[in-house]
Amino acid sequence: MKGVIMAGGKGTRLRPLTCNMPKPMVPMLHKPVMEYGIELLKKFGITDIAVTVHYLPDAIKNYFGDGRDFGVNLHYFVEDTPLGTAGSIKNAEEFLDERFIVISGDALTDFNLEKGIQFHEDKESIATIFMKQVDSPLEYGVIMTNQDGKIIRFLEKPSWNEVFSDTVNTGIYVLEPEVFRYIEKDVPVDFSKDLFPLLMKEDKNLFGYQAEGYWSDIGSLQQYRQSHYDMLNGLVNLPFAGEEKEPGVWVGENVFIEDGAVIEAPVSIADGAVIRKGSHIGKLSVVGKNSVVSSGSSLKKTVLWNDVFVGDQCELRGATIANGTKVEKDASVFEHAVVGNHCTIGRNATLKPDVKIWPEKEIFEEALVHTSIVWGKKATKSLFGSRGVSGIANVEITPDYIARLASAYGAVLPYGSQIIIASDSHDFSVMIKQSFIQGLHSSGVHTVDISPTVAPVVRFSIEEERLEGGVYVRFSNPTGEKQLMIEFYDNKGLPIHSDLERKIENAYWQEDYRRASFDRIGKGAIQANKHEDYISALLEEIQEKGIQEAKFRVVVNYNHQPYLNFIPNLYNRLNCEILTAPYQTKPEEMASFVRVTNANIGVLIGEAGETLRLITETGEVLDEETMLALYVFTAFSQGKQKEMAIPVYGSSALDSIAERLKGKLIRTKANPRSIMEVGDGVLNYQYDAQYAFVHILEIMAMQKITLSELVEMLPDVHMLREYVPCPKDKKGRVMRRLMEDIRDNNVELLDGIKVFHPEGGWTLILPDVEQPVFTVYSQNTDPEQAKQAASQYIEKIQLYQQV
C-alpha cells in the first residue's frame, strides 16, 4: 500500500511564521510537522510515499531528500499552478497504482491507520474518510453517516445555522485508484467540494471511519500553539525529541542549563540550547535548537524556534518567536504575539497581545507596539456576522481598522469598479464612511456617495445604476450597545455571498491589498437625488391616485434624522395626514396615540428603514408572524407577484394564503440574501419598510377596508418560539446528537433541523449564526402538542451540552 502527503499549502493564516516557509515545514517540538506524518505512515508499514508540493517546494525537498534518512522512499510531484486537494494527487496517478492513503502534511495526528484501512477493506469502499468530533466544526467539512457508516450528507465549512453535526473530515483518506476516473487532469478539483459530492451523487461506496486518537489541523496560530501544549501535556501518542531527564522535562543533546535556572514541567528544550542562571522556563514552554535564554528572563507558554536569543530580564507570555530573532534586555512579548524570522525586539520594547511582526523587522528601544507593524492582526473570529461587519463604535470599529477593511474589499473588486457608498446621519457613521472611501480609492475603486440614506435606497440604487456593488454604514443604538454596522452588497443589490465574504476576510488577514499608482487612484462622486428616484419607483408599483383619495391619517414613529427625511415626503405624495410620535415611543403608547387621534394606521419603522410594524386603528400592535402573513397576502392579492420567499420557520398557515391567491411560497434560509434572491429585484416586503407600507395602503384603499378588517382576513399564523442558551463550542455536539436521535424521522435541513411529526405539525431547531443560543420553533393545530414537542427538544439541547 502506498501513501500520499499533501504538502502544497502556503499557510497564510500562520503568517508571519510562513512568510518564507511552507506550512508543512513549520516546526512542532523541534521538527517539521510533516515529519510526524512520515513517521506515522512508516509506523504502519507504508514507506512508498508521494509528496505533492507547490509553495516553496525546495524547502521540503532539501530537508527530506529522497526519504532514505527517514526510512521511507519519497517521490515528489510539483503543482505549477494550484490544482486543489484532489487535483494535486492526479499528478501522481501513475505512481498510485494500488490502494493508497492520503494525509495532510500540516496535520498532527496519532490515529491508528491500520484500523481505518481495515474498515475501508471491510466496507469495500472506493473512498473512506477518517472522521473526528470537534467543538467548532465551522472550518471543516461536516459529515453525517448512516448506521453502517456510509456517508449520507456532507457540507464544507458550514455556518452555524447549517451545522448538522460536530463530526468533521480530518483530511485523511483511504482511496482506491478508481477515484482517478472522477478527477479531471490539470483542472482544480477539491476532495470536499467536488470529488466527494460527485461520489455521493453516483451512489458510490463513500464511507466515514470514526477515528480514535488525537488530530489537529495546524491551520491557525491559535491551533499551532494549542498543539504544542497538547503534545507537552501528553495528549498525543507520538515520540518526542530529546530525553526525559525528569517527569515532563525533555532535553536534547549538548544542552547547557546553569545552576539557579528554574525549569517547570512540562517543557521541551532542544539540542544546543543554553538556559542561564536566574531564568525561569515556565510550563508549556518550548526552547528551540541553539537558542539562549539569559539571566532573569521568564518564559510561560512560549514557543521559541531555533537560534533565538532572549536577553536579560525579558518577559515572554504565550508568545511565538521564529528562527534567528533577537529579543533584547528588558523586552516584553505578551499573549499570542508572533514574531517572524530574524527580527530584533529592542531593549525595553513591549509587544502587546496579538501583535504580529513580519520577518526581518526591527522594533526600536522602548517602543510600545499595540498593532502589527504590517497592517492588520488576525481576528479571533470571522469579520462578518449575520449582517456584514459590526462592532462597538470607536472601540472595535475605528478609522484605521475600516481603512484596512476597505482596502481588503477593494482588493477583491475589479480595478476601476464603481460602487455606491452611503451612511446614515450619525457623525460617527459619516467619519467611518469617509475612511472607507479613502481605502477604496487607494485600491483604484471609484465611489458614488448617496448619503444620508437607508439600506433599501442603497440596494435600489445599485440595481438601477448597474454598479459593481455597494456599502452601507449605520449606527445602531436601540438598547445602548453603540454598534457601528457595515453592510456589503453585490452588483444585484443583494447582501454579498459568503464566498465573497471569505475572500474579503482572506485579503484582510493576509494583508493582500491592492495599491493603485498615485495617478490611477479611485475617484469619488456625490449624488443627492436618489431618494426621489426611489420614491418614484415605489409609486410606479401602486395605484397612487386611489391611495391619495383615501386620505389616510397615519401616526408614524421613526428616527427624525436627515437620512429618514424622505419618509414624510413619501407620505405627503400619497396625500396622507401625518401625525408624528417621538422616536422610540413604546408600541403600547403608540397604540394609545393611534386610538386617541382616530388614525387609520400606526407605523413603527426600524432605524435602518428596513423593518416595519403596524398598529391597527383599534390599537392592536401586529406581531412578527402577523406582519409576515400580511406581506404574503398583499404580495399575492393583486397578482403582482407569482412567488415569494419566506424564512423556513414561517407558519404552515401561510401556504393556505398563497394557495387561495394562486401564489407560490418558497421557504429559504432565514437571512436577507436568501429571501431577497427570490423575485425580480431588491424591492422587498421583509427588508424594505416603505415598499411594504405603500402596498398595504394600496390594498386598504382599493378594497375600502380598515387594517383590522384586513388582518381578520388572515388565518391564525401564531406558533411557539423559545430560546435556549448554548455555548458556541457545544453547538456542533448538540446538532450531531439531535441528528442521531431523529435519523429515521422526516427531516428538512434547509436551515437548522426541521422535524415533521407523524401526528402533524413540526419543530424547527435553529442555531443562531452569531449568538450562543438556539431558537426552537414549534407549530401544531393543537397548541399543547406544539408546546410538548418544543419542550422535548429544549430538554435535549440542554442535556447534550453536558454530555
Side-chain angles (χ1 to χ4, degrees):
M1 184 168 177
K2 295 180 179 179
V4 178
I5 297 177
M6 296 187 294
K10 290 184 177 181
T12 51
R13 290 191 295 154
L14 285 173
R15 290 180 180 176
L17 299 180
T18 52
C19 286
N20 44 25
M21 175 184 292
K23 188 178 176 185
M25 293 301 296
V26 170
M28 291 293 306
L29 288 190
H30 321 304
K31 59 186 180 183
V33 62
M34 177 175 155
E35 190 170 336
Y36 293 101
I38 290 176
E39 292 173 347
L40 186 68
L41 290 173
K42 180 184 173 185
K43 175 181 177 181
F44 291 100
I46 302 168
T47 57
D48 224 7
I49 302 169
V51 182
T52 63
V53 291
H54 171 63
Y55 177 64
L56 300 177
D58 288 344
I60 296 173
K61 292 179 179 181
N62 292 341
Y63 183 88
F64 291 106
D66 60 8
R68 71 180 66 182
D69 292 342
F70 301 87
V72 297
N73 303 311
L74 299 181
H75 309 263
Y76 295 96
F77 298 88
V78 180
E79 297 175 74
D80 295 324
T81 57
L83 294 173
T85 53
S88 67
I89 68 166
K90 182 74 171 179
N91 286 341
E93 181 175 3
E94 290 187 10
F95 172 74
L96 299 171
D97 54 359
E98 59 184 75
R99 179 180 298 151
F100 58 96
I101 186 167
V102 178
I103 67 173
S104 296
D106 48 24
L108 184 70
T109 183
D110 59 10
F111 286 163
N112 187 320
L113 302 183
E114 185 177 3
K115 289 185 177 180
I117 294 168
Q118 186 62 52
F119 175 90
H120 172 89
E121 224 173 276
D122 293 343
K123 298 297 183 181
E124 298 182 348
S125 178
I126 186 176
T128 297
I129 302 173
F130 279 62
M131 306 183 303
K132 180 72 175 175
Q133 292 171 2
V134 298
D135 288 339
S136 181
L138 301 188
E139 292 302 316
Y140 308 103
V142 181
I143 298 173
M144 184 167 65
T145 63
N146 63 19
Q147 292 177 336
D148 194 38
K150 189 171 184 180
I151 295 174
I152 57 175
R153 186 168 173 82
F154 190 100
L155 182 62
E156 182 69 9
K157 294 185 178 179
S159 59
W160 269 122
N161 57 316
E162 297 172 312
V163 168
F164 50 81
S165 177
D166 61 350
T167 302
V168 303
N169 173 12
T170 65
I172 301 175
Y173 315 122
V174 183
L175 303 173
E176 299 295 326
E178 181 186 345
V179 299
F180 288 118
R181 285 191 273 164
Y182 301 91
I183 304 173
E184 191 174 348
K185 189 172 179 59
D186 296 327
V187 172
V189 180
D190 187 81
F191 278 120
S192 300
K193 295 180 180 178
D194 304 309
L195 179 61
F196 295 150
L198 179 58
L199 293 178
M200 292 175 66
K201 183 179 179 182
E202 297 282 335
D203 197 28
K204 296 296 181 181
N205 280 347
L206 177 64
F207 280 83
Y209 169 66
Q210 189 69 58
E212 295 181 359
Y214 183 87
W215 172 79
S216 173
D217 172 26
I218 314 298
S220 67
L221 292 169
Q222 177 186 357
Q223 195 57 47
Y224 176 71
R225 288 187 296 269
Q226 186 60 49
S227 296
H228 272 96
Y229 305 154
D230 292 343
M231 293 185 78
L232 289 170
N233 280 322
L235 301 180
V236 190
N237 184 22
L238 293 172
F240 280 24
E243 179 184 351
E244 192 172 10
K245 295 290 188 181
E246 56 183 80
V249 178
W250 286 269
V251 180
E253 298 178 354
N254 302 316
V255 171
F256 182 59
I257 301 176
E258 292 186 344
D259 292 341
V262 176
I263 311 295
E264 187 180 357
V267 298
S268 177
I269 303 172
D271 300 349
V274 176
I275 312 297
R276 298 294 185 188
K277 63 181 179 182
S279 61
H280 181 191
I281 309 301
K283 61 183 179 180
L284 299 177
S285 289
V286 177
V287 180
K289 293 180 181 179
N290 304 316
S291 292
V292 176
V293 181
S294 301
S295 298
S297 288
S298 172
L299 277 61
K300 290 184 179 179
K301 300 182 76 171
T302 287
V303 178
L304 304 184
W305 286 14
N306 300 339
D307 303 305
V308 174
F309 176 83
V310 179
D312 294 340
Q313 307 297 327
C314 291
E315 184 180 12
L316 279 66
R317 299 286 182 266
T320 304
I321 313 292
N323 294 336
T325 285
K326 182 180 180 182
V327 183
E328 296 185 343
K329 182 180 179 181
D330 293 318
S332 300
V333 184
F334 290 112
E335 285 77 6
H336 307 162
V338 181
V339 182
N341 290 341
H342 304 292
C343 291
T344 298
I345 310 301
R347 293 167 64 100
N348 206 33
T350 299
L351 303 188
K352 301 294 279 184
D354 294 307
V355 163
K356 293 189 295 185
I357 307 298
W358 253 238
E360 301 181 3
K361 300 294 187 290
E362 182 176 359
I363 305 300
F364 295 108
E365 294 184 8
E366 301 186 0
L368 177 63
V369 182
H370 55 82
T371 58
S372 301
I373 63 170
V374 178
W375 284 356
K377 59 183 179 181
K378 182 185 178 303
T380 56
K381 59 180 181 179
S382 298
L383 299 179
F384 285 84
S386 58
R387 294 297 300 268
V389 177
S390 64
I392 302 171
N394 228 21
V395 176
E396 297 170 327
I397 303 292
T398 60
D400 57 322
Y401 168 83
I402 288 300
R404 298 193 299 270
L405 178 63
S407 295
Y409 178 43
V412 304
L413 293 172
Y415 183 86
S417 298
Q418 188 173 42
I419 71 160
I420 293 279
I421 187 163
S423 70
D424 60 19
S425 315
H426 196 280
D427 290 343
F428 190 78
S429 302
V430 174
M431 180 182 73
I432 291 300
K433 177 194 67 178
Q434 295 297 340
S435 296
F436 208 106
I437 288 173
Q438 302 311 316
L440 287 173
H441 287 177
S442 73
S443 65
V445 173
H446 307 298
T447 59
V448 180
D449 187 352
I450 63 170
S451 306
T453 191
V454 292
V457 176
V458 174
R459 296 194 293 263
F460 164 80
S461 300
I462 295 167
E463 185 179 47
E464 183 188 50
E465 300 287 341
R466 299 183 179 180
L467 301 183
E468 192 68 31
V471 176
Y472 182 59
V473 181
R474 64 185 179 92
F475 186 78
S476 178
N477 193 37
T479 57
E481 70 273 28
K482 299 180 176 63
Q483 291 279 308
L484 199 283
M485 309 183 75
I486 304 103
E487 298 175 4
F488 295 74
Y489 305 107
D490 64 14
N491 58 357
K492 296 179 181 178
L494 302 174
I496 61 173
H497 194 276
S498 58
D499 288 347
L500 184 55
E501 290 180 351
R502 286 198 176 102
K503 288 181 180 179
I504 296 171
E505 288 176 346
N506 288 339
Y508 179 88
W509 287 333
Q510 297 168 25
E511 289 125 22
D512 187 12
Y513 308 138
R514 180 181 63 221
R515 293 291 179 230
S517 61
F518 75 93
D519 54 346
R520 299 186 68 202
I521 61 172
K523 296 178 174 58
I526 297 175
Q527 289 187 10
N529 61 345
K530 298 311 296 182
H531 285 135
E532 288 302 315
D533 295 342
Y534 170 71
I535 290 174
S536 297
L538 293 181
L539 297 181
E540 287 176 7
E541 292 255 342
I542 58 174
Q543 300 181 55
E544 181 180 352
K545 186 175 180 181
I547 299 176
Q548 290 172 339
E549 291 174 351
K551 296 181 180 180
F552 289 111
R553 175 178 289 184
V554 179
V555 175
V556 61
N557 176 354
Y558 69 98
N559 191 350
H560 295 273
Q561 296 295 323
Y563 78 104
L564 290 174
N565 280 347
F566 73 95
I567 290 177
N569 293 341
L570 171 63
Y571 291 7
N572 285 329
R573 289 276 295 271
L574 294 172
N575 198 29
C576 294
E577 180 184 352
I578 305 171
L579 305 174
T580 59
Y583 180 50
Q584 292 186 343
T585 299
K586 293 180 180 180
E588 300 77 18
E589 297 171 340
M590 276 282 292
S592 177
F593 193 18
V594 169
R595 290 195 304 270
V596 168
T597 58
N598 292 319
N600 301 104
I601 191 169
V603 183
L604 296 93
I605 299 174
E607 57 189 11
E610 289 187 329
T611 58
L612 175 69
R613 290 187 69 184
L614 296 180
I615 302 172
T616 70
E617 77 285 356
T618 62
E620 179 187 358
V621 182
L622 304 186
D623 57 24
E624 181 181 332
E625 287 88 356
T626 304
M627 288 301 303
L628 184 57
L630 191 57
Y631 296 154
V632 172
F633 181 87
T634 304
F636 294 144
S637 63
Q638 298 187 68
K640 293 183 181 180
Q641 290 187 210
K642 299 299 182 185
E643 60 183 25
M644 178 181 180
I646 61 171
V648 65
Y649 57 76
S651 168
S652 301
L654 299 176
D655 295 292
S656 65
I657 301 176
E659 185 177 348
R660 172 160 48 98
L661 298 174
K662 296 182 172 53
K664 179 182 179 182
L665 287 182
I666 299 174
R667 282 178 168 77
T668 74
K669 295 178 180 179
N671 64 65
R673 180 181 175 88
S674 296
I675 289 172
M676 291 184 200
E677 280 181 317
V678 178
D680 298 326
V682 294
L683 297 175
N684 182 279
Y685 283 93
Q686 294 169 67
Y687 291 97
D688 188 336
Q690 295 66 238
Y691 179 83
F693 180 63
V694 297
H695 281 83
I696 291 169
L697 281 188
E698 181 186 33
I699 291 284
M700 294 168 60
M702 294 301 99
Q703 298 191 18
K704 293 182 170 55
I705 57 175
T706 65
L707 183 56
S708 291
E709 291 170 335
L710 179 53
V711 171
E712 286 176 4
M713 298 167 66
L714 306 175
D716 182 10
V717 293
H718 295 92
M719 70 183 72
L720 188 68
R721 181 187 310 197
E722 298 284 351
Y723 300 96
V724 189
C726 177
K728 291 183 179 180
D729 61 356
K730 301 292 192 300
K731 284 182 179 178
R733 178 201 300 172
V734 169
M735 293 296 278
R736 172 176 57 83
R737 295 293 302 274
L738 289 172
M739 286 301 299
E740 290 172 354
D741 284 351
I742 59 178
R743 192 187 301 271
D744 299 325
N745 292 46
N746 182 7
V747 176
E748 179 183 88
L749 299 176
L750 174 64
D751 203 10
I753 300 173
K754 191 172 186 179
V755 186
F756 295 91
H757 306 305
E759 68 278 5
W762 50 261
T763 301
L764 172 68
I765 304 100
L766 188 63
D768 191 275
V769 175
E770 295 181 77
Q771 301 302 318
V773 68
F774 280 85
T775 306
V776 177
Y777 301 87
S778 192
Q779 181 179 311
N780 198 298
T781 53
D782 183 345
E784 190 58 36
Q785 288 188 8
K787 186 176 181 180
Q788 289 176 3
S791 298
Q792 175 187 352
Y793 286 102
I794 290 169
E795 290 174 4
K796 287 178 180 288
I797 293 170
Q798 293 168 338
L799 173 64
Y800 293 155
Q801 294 175 43
Q802 311 301 324
V803 295

